[in-house]
Amino acid sequence: MDKIVVNGGRRLEGTVEVSGAKNAALPILASALLADGEHTFRNTPGLADVHTMLKLLRTMGCEAERLTEGPKGTVKVWTRPAITPEAPYELVKTMRASVLVLGPLVARHGRARVSLPGGCAIGSRPIDQHLKGLEAMGAEITLAEGYVEARAKRLRGATINFDMVTVTGTENVMMAAVLAEGRTVLENAAREPEVEELARVLTKMGARIQGAGTPVITIDGVASLKAVEDHVIVADRIEAGTLLVAAAITGGDVLVKHAVPEHLDAAIQKLREAGCRITAEPHGLRCVGPEVPRSVDITTSEHPGFPTDMQAQLMVLMAVADGTSIITENIFENRFMHVAELDRMGAHISIKGTTAVVKGVQRLSGAPVMATDLRASASLILAGLRAEGHTEVQRVYHLDRGYERLEEKLRSLGADAVRMKA
Ligand code: EPZ
């Protein structure tokens, strides 16, 4: 297991490139199951979760590989007619987003057997809405031995109103609907940019989708789809936001290349309220951080609200702000596991249910800390950038699920951060 050691106190300066979006790449790779032939995706991030998804596609009978030469992040997937429509527990337990193969498999092959993802560190994360959508379209769902089995001769279009906004639920059912008979209307659909990006890819395959990015998505089923000849995956807005906070917390001046401003409106607004000067430049977003951030309150909600995936990162900034900040987490029931570790670094954060009260302190001190989940890991690295002395973040396999060589990107901006064997 690796650890990352950060020696804090350095101001970050320069330009850094954001990789392709993890939460776009995962559903897009799953969508390759919808059409036979050779799919080519570019700017695919080099992440553990992407590696797992490619492995999953291979276990089902696809060929999938990341090319070592040619444009950055080129991944090819060859989908064959003869697919084993199963996602085994061994893989699903390591990455719950594996459940995204469910919709494509039922739509294309009339059946799927996918291990139930189970919970994870940040919450129970059920998939009842995914199943509700497939059932509404005529799939027969059975749960047995920790697996969900779904069968349907041919899915029929339906109107589905999600009980709550679900990103992968919207994506799974949208992928099922593109080959269903007739029209499907998704109401209370997720509006995340990654949902729009998936719809762009499905449209390239020949799908007929209207309204992606709005709460109502209409899909008219088609008989078959064709492989994606070339698609460049959109930049990762959460990695971009994380790098903006790295500039903010070190009082630095950083240009985050490929960041898309309209994908981060809520986070940018909070960073500006906290005293950051953020400007859109031709190739990305520039952030100039304040000496001491101003305290702001944060409440996470579905897009376009403040993203839950940026909550831990903003909390670290608030930990060294000039007052008290109230941070409310409305999406996941257990997404404050970074708090205990930050308090060990000298932060003053107390939790009351789904709310954290963050009393800003003047200094954080480096310490050995433990990563527990993906965004918590990133927040501990950010804290290390500000803290006096050395911070050792252990179990960085959590970080590697969603960030491509983050310590190298930070080092290129002047950070003293190195990866070592734990
Ligand atoms: C996606 O997870 C992202 N993952 C998450 O990113 C992100 O935090 C989350 O959306 C919210 O934006 C991917 O896209 C691969 P949800 P997802 O379904 O789809 C409840 C990261 O750090 N719910 O939108 O699993 C659920 O428990 C990861 O990159 C049900 O109750 O999240 C949660 O409380 C973490 N039943 C809420 O809805 C369902 O059937 C939102 O979950 C589905 C969801």
Side-chain angles (χ1 to χ4, degrees):
M1 274 201 265
D2 290 353
K3 63 185 176 183
I4 290 177
V5 181
V6 184
N7 183 17
R10 299 199 177 188
R11 188 172 176 275
L12 300 194
E13 285 185 314
T15 298
V16 66
E17 287 198 34
V18 177
S19 300
K22 165 178 88 82
N23 290 349
L26 295 176
I28 286 170
L29 289 170
S31 76
L33 292 163
L34 289 164
D36 289 348
E38 178 179 316
H39 301 260
T40 303
F41 303 113
R42 290 194 281 141
N43 197 37
T44 311
L47 303 171
D49 275 7
V50 169
H51 179 74
T52 303
M53 182 59 84
L54 293 176
K55 211 164 139 191
L56 177 56
L57 292 174
R58 289 190 204 104
T59 60
M60 286 190 260
C62 299
E63 281 181 59
E65 64 177 282
R66 174 182 292 277
L67 305 191
T68 49
E69 71 287 333
K72 184 166 161 285
T74 302
V75 163
K76 283 186 177 288
V77 177
W78 291 267
T79 303
R80 306 268 184 265
I83 287 280
T84 308
E86 297 217 356
Y89 174 66
E90 292 65 37
L91 279 176
V92 177
K93 72 179 179 185
T94 64
M95 185 189 65
R96 50 174 296 97
S98 310
V99 75
L100 283 164
V101 302
L102 191 57
L105 288 174
V106 182
R108 181 92 171 68
H109 299 280
R111 68 188 182 90
R113 185 170 184 272
V114 175
S115 166
L116 284 164
C120 77
I122 62 176
S124 60
R125 303 186 72 184
I127 60 166
D128 56 295
Q129 300 297 304
H130 301 232
L131 304 181
K132 166 183 166 174
L134 293 175
E135 268 181 331
M137 296 170 73
E140 195 187 307
I141 305 282
T142 48
L143 303 179
E145 298 149 16
Y147 278 76
V148 54
E149 303 215 5
R151 288 179 180 280
K153 278 204 178 14
R154 184 167 185 213
L155 294 171
R156 292 184 313 278
T159 293
I160 295 141
N161 187 300
F162 289 109
D163 298 341
M164 86 286 296
V165 173
T166 161
V167 175
T168 50
T170 300
E171 292 166 344
N172 228 340
V173 180
M174 181 163 72
M175 287 193 281
V178 295
L179 288 177
E181 195 159 353
R183 171 165 286 191
T184 298
V185 179
L186 305 184
E187 296 173 342
N188 200 23
R191 300 163 60 183
E192 271 68 5
E194 293 76 26
V195 173
E196 285 186 88
E197 176 74 351
L198 174 62
R200 273 191 286 274
V201 170
L202 294 172
T203 303
K204 281 189 177 179
M205 290 183 180
R208 294 168 53 203
I209 303 172
Q210 301 291 329
T214 77
V216 180
I217 303 177
T218 303
I219 304 114
D220 289 309
V222 295
S224 66
L225 295 166
K226 60 186 191 315
V228 178
E229 278 176 31
D230 184 27
H231 182 79
V232 180
I233 291 175
V234 70
D236 192 314
R237 63 193 170 99
I238 304 302
E239 184 193 18
T242 306
L243 292 165
L244 292 173
V245 175
I249 202 162
T250 58
D253 179 353
V254 173
L255 173 65
V256 178
K257 270 184 81 175
H258 314 313
V260 179
E262 55 271 19
H263 289 175
L264 273 171
D265 279 338
I268 290 168
Q269 184 176 309
K270 283 299 168 185
L271 287 169
R272 284 178 171 146
E273 286 172 26
C276 300
R277 192 154 38 85
I278 296 189
T279 46
E281 301 209 351
H283 300 294
L285 280 169
R286 178 180 295 283
C287 177
V288 178
E291 269 314 297
V292 177
R294 279 198 298 272
S295 293
V296 294
D297 293 343
I298 289 156
T299 299
T300 67
S301 66
E302 300 84 3
H303 192 79
F306 187 91
T308 175
D309 292 351
M310 283 296 299
Q311 178 256 107
Q313 298 91 313
L314 260 290
M315 185 182 285
V316 179
L317 188 64
M318 292 300 102
V320 292
D322 64 355
T324 298
S325 156
I326 307 292
I327 299 181
T328 305
E329 171 58 59
N330 286 325
I331 304 295
F332 290 112
E333 61 265 34
N334 187 31
R335 206 170 196 178
F336 283 145
M337 283 175 297
H338 40 287
V339 169
E341 296 303 283
L342 292 173
D343 282 352
R344 292 183 53 245
M345 296 176 71
H348 281 186
I349 307 169
S350 57
I351 298 173
K352 295 183 179 60
T354 60
T355 296
V357 179
V358 184
K359 288 190 172 58
V361 295
Q362 287 196 339
R363 58 186 288 279
L364 295 175
S365 53
V369 289
M370 187 81 74
T372 50
D373 61 271
L374 169 54
R375 305 305 171 180
S377 324
S379 73
L380 295 174
I381 301 272
L382 295 172
L385 292 174
R386 176 78 179 220
E388 290 166 9
H390 284 79
T391 298
E392 266 194 21
V393 182
Q394 291 157 17
R395 298 191 183 177
V396 289
Y397 60 84
H398 290 292
L399 186 79
D400 296 338
R401 296 191 51 179
Y403 291 92
E404 194 174 11
R405 305 184 324 281
L406 183 62
E407 76 281 1
E408 289 177 19
K409 293 185 177 182
L410 294 173
R411 211 165 43 245
S412 74
L413 296 169
D416 177 357
V418 286
R419 179 183 291 258
M420 304 162 81
K421 285 288 167 230

